[in-house]
Amino acid sequence: MKRLFHRLLGRDAGDSQTGSSTDGEMAPAQMAAPGLLLLLALPAGAWPRLGLPPRPCVHCCRPAWPPATPGSPAPDGDGEKWVQLPHVRPTIDISILKGEKGETGVRGRSGRSGKEGPPGSRGLRGRKGQKGQVGLPGTPCQRAYAAFSVGRREGLHSTDAFQAVPFDTELVNLDGAFDLASGRFLCAAPGVYFLSLTVHTWNYKETYLHIMCNQQAAAVLYAQPSERSVMQTQSLLLPLAAGDTVWVRMFKRDQDNAIYGEPGDLYITFSGHLVKPAAEL
């Protein structure tokens, strides 16, 4: 009602300021002012009968009932907004009620081992470590050695079709592997051997010899009969196994077969040595 009254008064004031109203129009407004004052003086119960909105009851000591819901605006009254009081919740400081720390309990049993997880990614390469100490010297390398070199100072004539050549002079005979009487070398270190036979021919006589491996002829030394004697040599590489024998034999045909020699000089020699053991082949 107050708003209606002020609106009417404001309209009259505005009209008076613009100067557009006349004296005849101001007379009804002045006559309506006492009536409006009379309406304001009526009791609250008479307002509904007049068709006017009831005036809300305002409490001076507490907010209006029911209170407004959170987030909703408070109702207006007499142009003023109702302010909702904050909701206060009591809190308790738990640290005040916390007691003293208790003693450590007995340790329980260990659980079962879990399954092995997948291997992780390779880490970064670490720094190079310090140089270690020198180790103890190792055992010397065991190498096989075999060698022989023998000779004959006396000449020899063949009397049989096949005749072994014995030797009477020992130059080198490691481990006694060569038997001078039989003229045979017994191989104890298998491998590749170098063999060499050197003889002096006899004038007008044939020289025919074989370098034998066991019972097989491996090489031949031959010289035809001549009025002049010469030195003849035959050499070869031969693989030998343990237990093989190497020797020289004379082979007689229709002519005389002989090799020349003198007691003071050494014209006939037979030599051999291991070039490479079988373990290194």
Side-chain angles (χ1 to χ4, degrees):
M1 191 64 187
K2 288 181 178 181
R3 292 178 182 178
L4 179 59
F5 178 73
H6 288 295
R7 186 177 300 173
L8 293 175
L9 292 180
R11 182 179 178 181
D12 295 341
D15 294 341
S16 60
Q17 291 177 359
T18 53
S20 60
S21 60
T22 57
D23 295 337
E25 292 177 352
M26 293 179 58
Q30 294 177 359
M31 295 177 63
L36 294 175
L37 295 176
L38 180 61
L39 291 175
L40 293 175
L42 290 177
W47 285 54
R49 292 191 298 270
L50 296 177
L52 299 176
R55 185 177 183 182
C57 180
V58 179
H59 297 274
C60 60
C61 61
R62 59 182 178 177
W65 187 263
T69 58
S72 61
D76 297 338
D78 295 339
E80 298 180 0
K81 294 183 178 180
W82 292 89
V83 180
Q84 183 181 0
L85 296 179
H87 182 68
V88 181
R89 293 183 179 180
T91 57
I92 301 176
D93 190 359
I94 303 300
S95 60
I96 299 176
L97 303 178
K98 185 177 181 180
E100 297 180 356
K101 185 177 181 180
E103 297 179 356
T104 305
V106 180
R107 184 175 182 178
R109 298 179 179 178
S110 300
R112 296 181 179 179
S113 300
K115 296 182 180 180
E116 185 178 357
S121 58
R122 187 175 181 179
L124 299 176
R125 185 174 181 180
R127 297 181 178 178
K128 185 177 180 180
Q130 297 180 355
K131 186 177 181 179
Q133 298 180 355
V134 179
L136 298 176
T139 57
C141 180
Q142 300 293 333
R143 294 194 62 185
Y145 295 95
F148 69 90
S149 182
V150 295
R152 182 180 176 89
R153 296 183 182 274
E154 293 184 2
L156 182 65
H157 289 77
S158 62
T159 57
D160 298 327
F162 298 100
Q163 179 182 347
V165 178
F167 295 86
D168 54 22
T169 303
E170 180 180 282
L171 301 175
V172 174
N173 189 10
L174 297 182
D175 300 328
F178 196 95
D179 183 20
L180 293 177
S182 64
R184 296 175 183 266
F185 167 75
L186 178 63
C187 177
V192 177
Y193 282 77
F194 175 79
L195 303 174
S196 177
L197 174 63
T198 302
V199 299
H200 194 287
T201 65
W202 206 302
N203 295 347
Y204 304 105
K205 293 184 180 181
E206 187 179 40
T207 302
Y208 201 148
L209 297 98
H210 289 149
I211 298 176
M212 302 293 293
C213 178
N214 299 325
Q215 300 301 321
Q216 185 72 28
V220 176
L221 187 150
Y222 178 75
Q224 293 181 349
S226 175
E227 61 181 8
R228 299 180 63 180
S229 62
V230 294
M231 296 292 294
Q232 290 288 99
T233 301
Q234 178 65 282
S235 60
L236 74 159
L237 286 170
L238 192 66
L240 299 179
D244 288 345
T245 58
V246 177
W247 53 289
V248 178
R249 80 177 182 183
M250 298 182 71
F251 175 56
K252 181 181 179 182
R253 299 192 297 181
D254 298 336
Q255 301 179 13
D256 291 338
N257 186 13
I259 51 178
Y260 178 78
E262 292 182 0
D265 296 320
L266 188 63
Y267 291 97
I268 305 167
T269 59
F270 181 41
S271 303
H273 67 273
L274 178 64
V275 175
K276 193 168 188 178
E280 299 179 9
L281 295 177

